[in-house]
Amino acid sequence: MRIAAIVPCHNEEAAVAKVVGDLQSAVPGIVVYVYDNLSTDATAERAAAAGAIVRTEHDKGKGNVVRRAFADIDADVYVLIDGDDTYEAAAAPLMIKTLLDGPYDHVLGVRHAVDDAYRGGHETGNRVLNGLVGKVFGENVVDMLSGFRVFSHRFVKSFPAVSREFEIETELTVHSLHLQVPQTSVPVDFRDRPAGSESKLRTYHDGFRILSLIAGLARHERPVGFYGLFGTLSLLAALILIVPIVIEFYETDQVARFPTLFGGFTLILLGGLLWTAGLILDGIRRSRHEAARLVYLRYAAVRRD
C-alpha cells in the first residue's frame, strides 16, 4: 500500500518540519512530498531536514501545486494537508482507514476549531459558500474549504485541476459532487497558526474569487437553470414592455411607441436564445459527465493490499 502526503508550502519554516514529523509518526511508511511554492525563507531546507521529498513549484498558487502533485505522484492513497500546522495530522490514520473501509474515493476533514482558531470572516464566508454550492449542486456541503483531505488513486487521476489558487478546494468538492463518487467526512481539530506563520488567505479577495468560480461552475454544471433564469427575466421584461402597447393598440388602433415595441420583441428573441443555449449546453454537460465518469472508472477501486 503506497501512501503519499502532499504538503503545499509557502514561507512555512515555522511549521513545516512539525507537519512532516507528525505525518511520519501518525502513518508509518508514508512518503511526504513538500511542494515549496516560491518560499523566501528556509521552508525547503526545514522540510528536507525533517525527511520530506521537497519539490519546487514555480507557478504561485495552491491550485498550481495540487495540479502538479497530482500529475507527478503515483500512490494508492493520497493525503492532502496544508503545511501551516493548523490541522491535527494525527487524524490522518482514521481518515485513511475510513477511505479503505468504505471503500471511499474522498474523505473530507471537517474542521473543528480549537481555541477560536477560526477568524470570524472566514467562518461566515465558509458557511455562505457551503450553502451556495449546496444549492447549486443539490448536495449537502459541510466544509468545502477544508485543506485536509484523503483521496483514492482514481479520484486523483480523474481530477482535471484547472484552478490556480485557493479555489482548488471548491473544485475538488465540485468534482466529487458531479461525479457522485463515494465519499464521507471525518471531524479534525483545527488550531491557530504557530508564531511566525502568516496566513496567505485573504478573506474578501479570495472569497470573491471563489464566488466567481461558483458562478462559472453553475454556468457549466447547471446551464438550464443559469441561462433559463436570465432567459425568463428577459421574457418577463418583454411582457412588461409589450402588454401596455398591445392594450393601447386594441383601444386606439394605433401603435404609438414603436421603439418600445421593437425593444420588447428583441427581449423575446434574447430570452428564447438564452433558453435554447441552456438546453444545448445541458446536453453537452451530460456528454462531458459521461466521459469524465468513464475516465474515473478506468482506475480500480482502492484496496487494502
Side-chain angles (χ1 to χ4, degrees), residues 107-120:
V107 175
L108 175 69
V110 177
R111 291 172 288 183
H112 171 68
V114 177
D115 298 328
D116 298 324
Y118 258 134
R119 283 161 56 182

Side-chain angles (χ1 to χ4, degrees), residues 273-291:
L273 289 174
L274 286 169
W275 268 102
T276 301
L279 292 171
I280 291 172
L281 290 172
D282 189 59
I284 296 173
R285 176 193 65 83
R286 289 176 180 270
S287 298
R288 181 162 42 86
H289 282 193
E290 289 171 1

Side-chain angles (χ1 to χ4, degrees), residues 57-247:
E57 173 52 50
H58 295 285
D59 292 328
K60 192 172 182 180
K62 185 177 180 179
N64 291 319
V65 169
V66 172
R67 177 168 57 250
R68 179 178 171 194
F70 280 8
D72 288 352
I73 299 170
D74 188 35
D76 298 300
V77 176
Y78 298 75
V79 178
L80 176 65
I81 185 171
D82 290 342
D84 56 9
D85 194 31
T86 53
Y87 295 91
E88 183 56 65
L94 175 60
M95 295 174 71
I96 294 169
K97 181 178 184 300
T98 301
L99 184 91
L100 297 174
D101 287 347
Y104 295 104
D105 288 309
H106 177 214
V107 175
L108 175 69
V110 177
R111 291 172 288 183
H112 171 68
V114 177
D115 298 328
D116 298 324
Y118 258 134
R119 283 161 56 182
H122 290 178
E123 184 176 11
T124 302
N126 193 30
R127 286 200 302 266
V128 171
L129 294 171
N130 288 337
L132 281 174
V133 171
K135 291 292 185 183
V136 170
F137 295 95
E139 297 282 347
N140 183 31
V141 179
V142 182
D143 190 5
M144 182 183 71
L145 300 182
S146 174
F148 193 5
R149 302 167 187 249
V150 175
F151 308 102
S152 69
H153 177 80
R154 66 179 180 180
F155 182 101
V156 166
K157 296 306 179 182
S158 66
F159 178 61
V162 296
S163 298
R164 295 182 178 182
E165 298 187 15
F166 282 101
E167 316 96 283
I168 189 68
E169 280 98 355
T170 305
E171 192 181 358
L172 286 164
T173 300
V174 170
H175 179 68
S176 64
L177 291 176
H178 85 67
L179 275 188
Q180 296 183 329
V181 303
Q183 60 181 323
T184 189
S185 60
V186 170
V188 298
D189 285 345
F190 180 75
R191 54 181 174 257
D192 203 2
R193 301 172 70 93
S197 179
E198 181 181 351
S199 175
K200 272 71 71 178
L201 184 63
R202 294 162 291 178
T203 302
Y204 297 105
H205 177 272
D206 291 314
F208 284 123
R209 288 183 66 93
I210 293 169
L211 282 174
S212 177
L213 176 65
I214 292 172
L217 289 168
R219 181 167 58 88
H220 285 289
E221 301 298 332
R222 294 292 183 269
V224 172
F226 185 86
Y227 288 97
L229 172 63
F230 292 105
T232 300
L233 291 175
S234 181
L235 292 172
L236 288 174
L239 286 175
I240 292 172
L241 293 176
I242 291 175
V243 168
I245 297 175
V246 172
I247 294 173

